[in-house]
Amino acid sequence: MKFTDGYWHMRPGVTPHFAVQAHEVEVEANATALVAYAATKPLRGRADTINLPLLTVRFSSPLENVIRVQVVHHKGRRPVGPAFELNLPPQAPAVQVADGPEAATLTTGRLTVRVAKGPDWRIDFLDGDRVITSSGRRGLALMETPEGRFMVEQLDLGVGECVYGLGERFTPFVKNGQVVDLWNEDGGTASEQAYKNIPFYLTNRGYGVFVNHPEKVSYEIASEKVERVQFSVPGESLDYFLIYGPTPKEVLERYTALTGRPALPPAWSFGLWLTTSFTTDYDEATVTSFIQGMADRDLPLHVFHFDCFWMKEFHWCNFEWDRRCFPDPAAMLARLKARGLKICVWINPYIAQRSALFDEGMAAGYLVKRPNGDVWQWDLWQAGMALVDFTNPAARRWFGDKLRALVDMGVDCFKTDFGERIPTDVVWFDGSDPLKMHNYYSYLYNKTVFEVLEEKFGPGGATVFARSATAGGQKFPVHWGGDSTATFASMAETLRGGLSLGLSGFGFWSHDIGGFEQTASADVYKRWCAFGLLSSHSRLHGSSSYRVPWLFDEEAVDVLRFFTKLKCRLMPYLFAAAVEAHTAGVPVLRAMPLEFPDDPGCDALDRQYMLGGNLLVAPVFTSDGTVDYYLPAGRWTHFLTGEVVEGGRWVRERHGFMSLPLLARPNSIIPVGAVEDRPDYDFADGVTFHLFEIQDGATLTCRVPDLAGAPALTVEATRWGKSLQIRAAGETKAWRVLLRGAAGVRTIEGGIAQADPLGALLIPDAGATSLTVRL
């Protein structure tokens, strides 16, 4: 939202009240906070203290290296929810406060805020003497506009500083130059709208900013003022957190400590999902034919999803199977589960007028109402549909009970679709502000469903497939990218959305393999299969056509088989990355700046990513298989072929459909499992640790988790010159080491060495927990 007309003028009807100088700065009695009183015009005499707004600015630290800034104009407004659920400790961390003649400072860890006491308003955020960012002249303000009052803050951007995040955004990955309004909308992947709007951004200068407002937050990112990021909210107050790293991983760790870490999804959810698609014709026979077709072609399948028409048309949601297509759903689910499949069904939070639940919900007061007491309804999507009022605890129990019945029938998870089209001309049960509830509704919706599943399956057993989200929604994985199109361009924009979402605190992400709308050409489908299976979660789904591979061509069957089995073998590595997302907030699919913050060549990369910390993936977005990607410095190894590529440069390659740039990071260990037909197995049993380009003097540690996420087997490798010492601890039932690219070894103690097409395979003796190798 712009308030100025160029550099010199304000827009018509806008009256600014900028913080001009700090009239007074006080240290709170317990010495845990600073409070500055910002005058909005120069105070040259007593008369200047009359007839002007005064902004109260409080600085505190809820977590180490995090500073909270709370700005208030008129504090007498009655607080109206909802508010984000933040993990604020009962006791704040120790801070150092200094009140000098020229400035007052508050320091937490390495982060300091300095409030100038001179004639000019200035706030600096520092690490030691280095300024990270600042709010200075014509930055912080109260704006009076024809649309009402707004609180505005502007933070400086340095030369070369890039801004990332703000949710799942399909626009350019680097947000500089963009205007972003955080308002959840059902806009597909080809527009500036977003399903998941998150008021958090981070930059390549080691910090992030979380604006603690669930309502619409408007950002001008190097746009209205090209040297600054501006964010504004309606009303009389502004609350934001500046979160320092200094590494981007540390920023995400602290942000998710504040707003919540992703739950650990069950290992089975990382396998291949197949769906009925959306508007296609299907019944039990169709479903069975697809599942049998996958088995006949040796295509591992782990989850089957029933999309909207498992319920009868015009009745969504009534949570009742359409008996015309599925006459005995309990028996059908039992047959599918006997094949080892997990079951997912589609839901949304809307109740159509023909649903049997409409009258039930209306009578009990479970549906959102208009100000006059009528149930809010419209015909967009479902005829006469209403919304479940998740601010009502009884409505949440009612909605949850419908899901519990499905879980008891055999359903394992739910696709929690929609949740973006939330009206503002309504009254909520708990009196919530309709403008704040628009985005926040997605949080209550997904939380309600996730808690039903966690209640049934326990921690680590619940997963949803969610489309809408706001801050904190990362606690309820998995999220998928919404409605893409079956083209290379849409495949690329989908990846941009996933990269941005991962830098917004979300650990797990998926997308519709082959695109949702239209039907992909065979080449797009096959390239998307590789990309999809090298994402945290992998689902074949479409709109008006099926996504089974044999409908594209026979090679598509081979491609899907190859990458599905590859993902299953990579599960010891991928599940370890999932545990890191759960414990530290670092996403499984990682934008390049997250892993290489000191390499400016990575700043703007949006057509490649790191899968976990040690595998680089560059999807192919061309018909002829040509792909350009950037490699940071070091000797990287093609994981599939063993070819070594020197980094620190751009690389152009051409790949067939059974390949893509999948490169192992130098000085890394990647554990590879012994099972290729399912994702949920004993990862430590038969695991092979692939060692890549271990450096002289380095010690590398690799942990393989069990299915609950606890460490099952840990391997440590140390190299000194030509000597390599490898130690294993934990479940050492059957483990191996593959020295990638090694022609052989001179000597080995504790086992034997065998030649392998990709290097030297080290097989420990029975019961051995260490190997000593002379290279």
Side-chain angles (χ1 to χ4, degrees):
M1 182 175 185
K2 290 181 171 62
F3 300 94
T4 58
D5 179 11
Y7 186 78
W8 303 108
H9 305 291
M10 304 304 297
R11 299 183 73 183
V14 174
T15 300
H17 301 284
F18 292 106
V20 172
Q21 70 179 82
H23 170 57
E24 288 185 329
V25 181
E26 297 177 346
V27 179
E28 288 192 353
N30 55 8
T32 60
L34 291 177
V35 179
Y37 298 94
T40 54
K41 70 177 183 180
L43 302 180
R44 300 183 180 94
R46 287 183 172 181
D48 292 323
T49 65
I50 300 170
N51 299 325
L52 80 164
L54 185 70
L55 304 181
T56 302
V57 188
R58 184 177 187 269
F59 304 91
S60 61
S61 177
L63 301 170
E64 188 174 275
N65 284 304
V66 177
I67 289 177
R68 185 177 194 177
V69 183
Q70 295 166 286
V71 187
V72 177
H73 175 225
H74 288 165
K75 70 177 183 179
R77 283 197 171 189
R78 179 178 58 90
V80 180
F84 292 128
E85 296 181 357
L86 303 183
N87 300 318
L88 298 174
Q91 184 171 353
V95 297
Q96 294 78 48
V97 176
D99 189 9
E102 296 182 354
T105 62
L106 181 147
T107 300
T108 168
R110 294 176 56 174
L111 179 62
T112 295
V113 60
R114 180 175 64 201
V115 184
K117 291 185 175 182
D120 298 318
W121 173 259
R122 185 172 181 84
I123 302 170
D124 293 315
F125 297 94
L126 309 100
D127 178 357
D129 294 328
R130 182 175 69 88
V131 175
I132 301 164
T133 188
S134 303
S135 174
R137 181 177 180 272
R138 296 171 66 89
L140 180 65
L142 166 71
M143 296 286 185
E144 297 194 60
T145 78
E147 294 80 26
R149 288 177 172 171
F150 292 82
M151 295 299 300
V152 181
E153 176 65 296
Q154 294 181 0
L155 297 177
D156 291 346
L157 289 172
V159 175
E161 186 168 357
C162 298
V163 177
Y164 311 103
L166 297 174
E168 184 189 52
R169 318 210 73 82
F170 306 103
T171 53
F173 172 55
V174 177
K175 301 301 180 282
N176 298 48
Q178 298 182 40
V179 178
V180 177
D181 289 329
L182 300 189
W183 193 252
N184 285 2
E185 296 185 86
D186 178 5
T189 66
S191 77
E192 81 284 1
Q193 297 177 1
Y195 304 105
K196 308 168 188 69
N197 287 275
I198 314 299
F200 170 76
Y201 70 86
L202 56 78
T203 88
N204 60 347
R205 294 299 184 263
Y207 70 93
V209 177
F210 168 53
V211 180
N212 185 26
H213 289 261
E215 65 267 36
K216 180 188 286 188
V217 183
S218 182
Y219 290 84
E220 296 281 343
I221 307 163
S223 49
E224 184 170 9
K225 293 289 185 294
V226 298
E227 300 169 353
R228 297 176 177 178
V229 172
Q230 173 180 291
F231 43 92
S232 59
V233 296
E236 307 274 349
S237 63
L238 173 64
D239 184 5
Y240 71 91
F241 296 77
L242 192 132
I243 304 169
Y244 187 52
T247 68
K249 286 185 180 180
E250 290 171 308
V251 174
L252 285 181
E253 185 172 3
R254 294 188 173 102
Y255 168 70
T256 55
L258 185 65
T259 59
R261 299 263 165 76
L264 181 65
W268 57 258
S269 71
F270 291 76
L272 180 62
W273 299 48
L274 175 64
T275 85
T276 57
S277 288
F278 171 33
T279 59
T280 49
D281 291 327
Y282 53 86
D283 54 16
E284 183 175 352
T286 314
V287 170
T288 302
S289 71
F290 285 163
I291 293 170
Q292 187 59 50
M294 297 288 281
D296 292 344
R297 293 166 175 84
D298 187 28
L299 292 166
L301 181 63
H302 311 104
V303 184
F304 193 85
H305 166 72
F306 293 84
D307 215 52
C308 314
F309 286 95
W310 70 273
M311 292 177 282
K312 191 175 180 180
E313 67 276 3
F314 293 113
H315 291 259
W316 308 340
C317 282
N318 63 0
F319 304 109
E320 295 288 339
W321 292 84
D322 183 352
R323 296 304 176 112
R324 299 170 302 176
C325 301
F326 307 103
D328 190 350
M332 175 187 68
L333 295 187
R335 287 190 290 272
L336 297 182
K337 294 175 79 69
R339 291 174 171 262
L341 293 171
K342 299 292 185 179
I343 303 300
C344 178
V345 297
W346 176 94
I347 62 171
N348 69 191
Y350 312 143
I351 307 296
Q353 186 166 285
R354 284 202 66 190
S355 167
L357 302 185
F358 187 93
D359 289 345
E360 186 179 328
M362 181 170 61
Y366 296 158
L367 305 179
V368 176
K369 296 179 180 179
R370 296 185 183 274
N372 66 359
D374 293 343
V375 171
W376 182 92
Q377 291 179 265
W378 71 357
D379 294 324
L380 187 61
W381 183 239
Q382 286 294 285
M385 57 165 266
L387 287 79
V388 177
D389 188 343
F390 289 108
T391 72
N392 184 342
R396 291 199 298 271
R397 287 193 298 271
W398 172 71
F399 191 84
D401 284 344
K402 308 304 178 184
L403 305 182
R404 290 180 183 93
L406 290 167
V407 171
D408 290 341
M409 183 184 289
V411 171
D412 298 285
C413 58
F414 297 99
K415 173 184 172 180
T416 48
D417 205 354
F418 286 85
E420 307 92 1
R421 297 172 179 173
I422 308 303
T424 57
D425 57 338
V426 295
V427 175
W428 295 90
F429 173 83
D430 70 348
S432 284
D433 182 338
L435 293 176
K436 294 180 179 180
M437 272 300 298
H438 175 83
N439 288 349
Y440 196 75
Y441 186 87
S442 64
Y443 181 86
L444 295 179
Y445 165 39
N446 283 290
K447 180 181 181 182
T448 298
V449 178
F450 196 86
E451 287 180 345
V452 167
L453 294 167
E454 200 165 53
E455 168 193 302
K456 174 69 175 182
F457 300 115
T463 192
V464 296
F465 224 81
R467 190 173 77 172
S468 58
T470 187
Q474 69 270 9
K475 294 185 288 186
F476 318 120
V478 172
H479 295 81
W480 104 97
D483 298 346
S484 55
T485 306
T487 64
F488 282 124
S490 192
M491 182 176 159
E493 74 205 16
T494 295
L495 175 56
R496 290 196 298 272
L499 296 176
S500 292
L501 189 67
L503 292 179
S504 305
F506 285 67
F508 306 96
W509 175 77
S510 186
H511 43 95
D512 292 339
I513 295 174
F516 177 69
E517 291 293 345
Q518 304 174 12
T519 300
S521 59
D523 57 343
V524 169
Y525 179 86
K526 287 179 282 193
R527 296 301 185 186
W528 211 318
C529 282
F531 170 37
L533 270 302
L534 291 170
S535 302
S536 84
H537 286 74
S538 310
R539 186 181 72 160
L540 296 162
H541 181 62
S543 178
S544 58
S545 56
Y546 305 120
R547 291 294 180 264
V548 288
W550 53 89
L551 298 181
F552 294 87
D553 62 26
E554 282 306 309
E555 187 181 33
V557 174
D558 298 333
V559 170
L560 182 64
R561 180 191 306 114
F562 176 81
F563 284 102
T564 302
K565 291 186 174 184
L566 173 64
K567 185 176 188 183
C568 291
R569 292 197 304 273
L570 285 173
M571 275 304 294
Y573 170 77
L574 294 175
F575 206 61
V579 172
E580 186 178 5
H582 170 58
T583 58
V586 179
V588 175
L589 190 148
R590 305 173 184 179
M592 295 297 290
L594 190 59
E595 283 293 334
F596 302 95
D598 297 324
D599 186 344
C602 292
D603 284 349
L605 299 177
D606 63 1
R607 299 193 305 275
Q608 63 186 75
Y609 56 92
M610 297 296 292
L611 185 62
N614 293 323
L615 278 176
L616 184 150
V617 183
V620 178
F621 298 107
T622 60
S623 296
D624 66 359
T626 301
V627 56
D628 296 316
Y629 62 95
Y630 175 80
L631 276 184
R635 287 170 52 85
W636 294 71
T637 305
H638 274 284
F639 187 81
L640 300 177
T641 66
E643 178 188 355
V644 174
V645 183
E646 194 66 41
R649 63 188 180 96
W650 281 88
V651 179
R652 173 170 290 181
E653 295 174 346
R654 190 168 180 174
H655 286 259
F657 290 112
M658 304 294 284
S659 179
L660 81 168
L662 176 63
L663 293 107
R665 190 175 189 167
N667 208 42
S668 70
I669 304 177
I670 297 177
V672 178
V675 176
E676 65 177 14
D677 62 349
R678 60 183 310 105
D680 48 344
Y681 56 93
D682 184 349
F683 302 135
D685 189 2
V687 64
T688 300
F689 294 91
H690 292 227
L691 268 65
F692 295 91
E693 299 290 333
I694 183 169
Q695 298 173 359
D696 190 10
T699 295
L700 307 179
T701 301
C702 180
R703 294 179 179 87
V704 173
D706 62 19
L707 292 177
L713 174 60
T714 301
V715 160
E716 183 180 273
T718 301
R719 178 174 181 176
W720 294 105
K722 295 292 185 179
S723 295
L724 186 63
Q725 180 73 42
I726 304 168
R727 297 181 178 87
E731 299 180 14
T732 56
K733 292 174 284 192
W735 61 286
R736 298 179 173 190
V737 176
L738 181 58
L739 304 181
R740 295 293 293 261
V745 302
R746 293 185 179 181
T747 62
I748 180 171
E749 297 177 15
I752 62 172
Q754 292 182 354
D756 184 273
L758 295 176
L761 181 65
L762 312 181
I763 305 173
D765 295 333
T769 59
S770 67
L771 295 170
T772 302
V773 178
R774 182 71 176 169
L775 299 174

